[in-house]
Amino acid sequence: MMIVIMKKAATPSQLTNVVAHIERMGCQAHISSGEERTLVGIIGNGRPFDAEHLEQMAGVEKTMPVTRPFKRASREFHPHDTLVTIGEAVVGGDGIVLIAGPCAVESREQMSEIGRAVKEAGAQMLRGGAYKPRTSPYSFQGLGEEGLKILGRVREETGLPVVTEVMQPELVPLVTSYADVLQVGARNMQNFALLHAVGQAQRPVLLKRGMMSTMEELLMAAEYILSHGNDRVILCERGIRTFESYTRNTLDINAVPLLKGLTHLPVIVDPSHGTGKRELVEPVSRAAIAAGADGLIVEVHHRPEEAVSDGAQSLRPEGFARLSESVAAIAAAVGRRM
Ligand code: PEP
Ligand code: MN
């Protein structure tokens, strides 16, 4: 695994020669053109690559080994931020993106009501699970395809793109036909068959950190998706398991600046699952944006006491409107906009 740094004055034909050489050696070349110079990442075939020959080629400044186990996901490989565009929303740029909606799709009325309210408060995307990964088999499992249909209708009604979870590789085509973003949940972060399937889908993927996963495992999971051909991956910190029991999870704020340094992929935070408590959602959201997150995914319900899942961590629409305003102030303070 190596990176070839081209000279500033390298010509397009010298670049073509370098790429051709890499491919002749049975490897893949991954070009990343910056303002200053072009980098060529080499994705190997497991065998060592002859750096000396490359360094003697016209237009090549030097080569560098890639030290990280993740390649396509790493900043070494791809120094510039990746922007993921979904409708009018751009995740990973100057703007902070808010994704909001209930934990689960419950009915058309519920989704319409919440969708309209969160849009009004500044959300750029709508969330809602049609397939729910529940700890108990006796808990509500989601409306399935009926839920996807509701999401499709509310997307038309509000104009908000829809983010929804897919749990099985076989369902990726169906979910893709309704959703704008495919969510891979924390419990499925290392479901490699699922990562493979969403890697082949024509949709951006929101990849949530497993509740017991390290940064490197998260980035290697992203690497699976990228390596199957989908480069539109958004990472999400959603809290990890610790000994603390006052909160559902411990939101790992370190993950935000750490990931922003290690990878070019956008990073968002889920303060709802990260805390499990409604009253903590707004302050933790502010912290996430202050730490450099590119957006938030927040659970909102118009009647949290009646929600079929995660009512205790769901904001009411008014609470979400307050969050949106208060996060905008933090965004401005750190040079971002909403
Ligand atoms: C969700 O977003 O509704 C969800 C189930 O989250 P996680 O996978 O992070 O637990
Ligand atoms: Mn939930």
Side-chain angles (χ1 to χ4, degrees):
M1 296 292 166
M2 234 189 297
I3 297 175
V4 182
I5 301 168
M6 300 299 291
K7 288 188 173 142
K8 276 190 194 160
T11 64
S13 76
Q14 290 170 340
L15 178 63
T16 310
N17 286 342
V18 167
V19 169
H21 173 70
I22 293 168
E23 289 172 352
R24 256 196 319 276
M25 302 310 285
C27 299
Q28 276 175 281
H30 181 284
I31 299 174
S32 172
S33 345
E35 278 151 34
E36 283 273 294
R37 56 181 81 220
T38 298
L39 308 184
V40 187
I42 305 179
I43 310 217
N45 46 15
R47 290 198 295 269
F49 201 95
D50 179 8
E52 237 165 83
H53 178 91
L54 264 175
E55 284 187 346
Q56 279 156 15
M57 289 184 76
V60 173
E61 168 103 31
K62 60 175 177 176
T63 62
M64 265 174 22
V66 181
T67 47
R68 313 265 182 216
F70 43 92
K71 313 292 175 196
R72 289 173 162 92
S74 81
R75 262 217 200 268
E76 295 174 299
F77 227 78
H78 186 298
H80 303 282
D81 286 341
T82 284
L83 307 184
V84 178
T85 303
I86 303 132
E88 286 168 19
V90 179
V91 192
D94 292 340
I96 300 295
V97 172
L98 299 182
I99 307 170
C103 181
V105 179
E106 297 168 16
S107 69
R108 169 75 200 260
E109 296 65 38
Q110 173 236 20
M111 281 312 300
S112 282
E113 167 120 21
I114 299 170
R116 282 187 270 117
V118 298
K119 181 176 182 172
E120 171 77 27
Q124 285 179 276
M125 284 189 255
L126 181 63
R127 65 149 288 147
Y131 297 92
K132 295 305 302 176
R134 303 306 297 278
T135 301
S136 164
Y138 309 118
S139 300
F140 176 68
Q141 305 284 308
L143 295 181
E145 189 169 359
E146 182 49 32
L148 295 176
K149 289 188 176 147
I150 292 173
L151 285 169
R153 287 194 217 105
V154 177
R155 182 230 265 128
E156 268 175 40
E157 186 187 326
T158 60
L160 292 175
V162 157
V163 182
T164 198
E165 180 161 356
V166 56
M167 300 199 292
Q168 287 160 260
E170 317 79 85
L171 289 181
V172 169
L174 178 71
V175 177
T176 297
S177 68
Y178 292 97
D180 299 284
V181 178
L182 304 174
Q183 176 173 326
V184 173
R187 291 157 192 80
N188 276 311
M189 190 202 83
Q190 285 188 319
N191 178 340
F192 299 113
L194 182 64
L195 297 176
H196 187 143
V198 298
Q200 293 182 324
Q202 305 300 314
R203 286 286 179 279
V205 177
L206 174 60
L207 177 65
K208 299 188 88 175
R209 179 185 184 180
M211 53 190 86
M212 290 169 284
S213 300
T214 63
M215 291 286 93
E216 195 158 296
E217 286 163 343
L218 171 61
L219 288 164
M220 292 310 280
E223 191 79 10
Y224 266 87
I225 302 171
L226 299 173
S227 72
H228 285 107
N230 190 344
D231 54 12
R232 294 186 292 166
V233 178
I234 301 166
L235 304 173
C236 180
E237 163 59 35
R238 49 77 75 208
I240 50 176
R241 279 224 166 142
T242 67
F243 51 80
E244 181 52 65
S245 58
Y246 274 110
T247 46
R248 178 171 177 181
N249 290 292
T250 297
L251 190 100
D252 179 12
I253 202 80
N254 299 355
V256 176
L258 193 62
L259 287 170
K260 291 298 288 182
L262 290 171
T263 180
H264 51 90
L265 298 171
V267 178
I268 70 167
V269 164
D270 175 345
S272 308
H273 295 88
T275 62
K277 290 195 154 144
R278 181 178 307 123
E279 62 275 22
L280 300 184
V281 170
E282 183 185 323
V284 168
S285 295
R286 290 163 59 90
I289 299 307
D294 297 306
L296 300 167
I297 180 165
V298 183
E299 286 184 343
V300 177
H301 201 288
H302 61 315
R303 287 195 215 105
E305 47 301 316
E306 288 168 29
V308 296
S309 65
D310 291 351
Q313 67 193 33
S314 298
L315 294 178
R316 294 188 181 80
E318 317 80 81
F320 178 69
R322 278 195 299 274
L323 174 146
S324 175
E325 262 184 45
S326 106
V327 159
I330 301 291
V334 296
R336 311 283 296 263
R337 44 182 185 73
M338 291 227 336

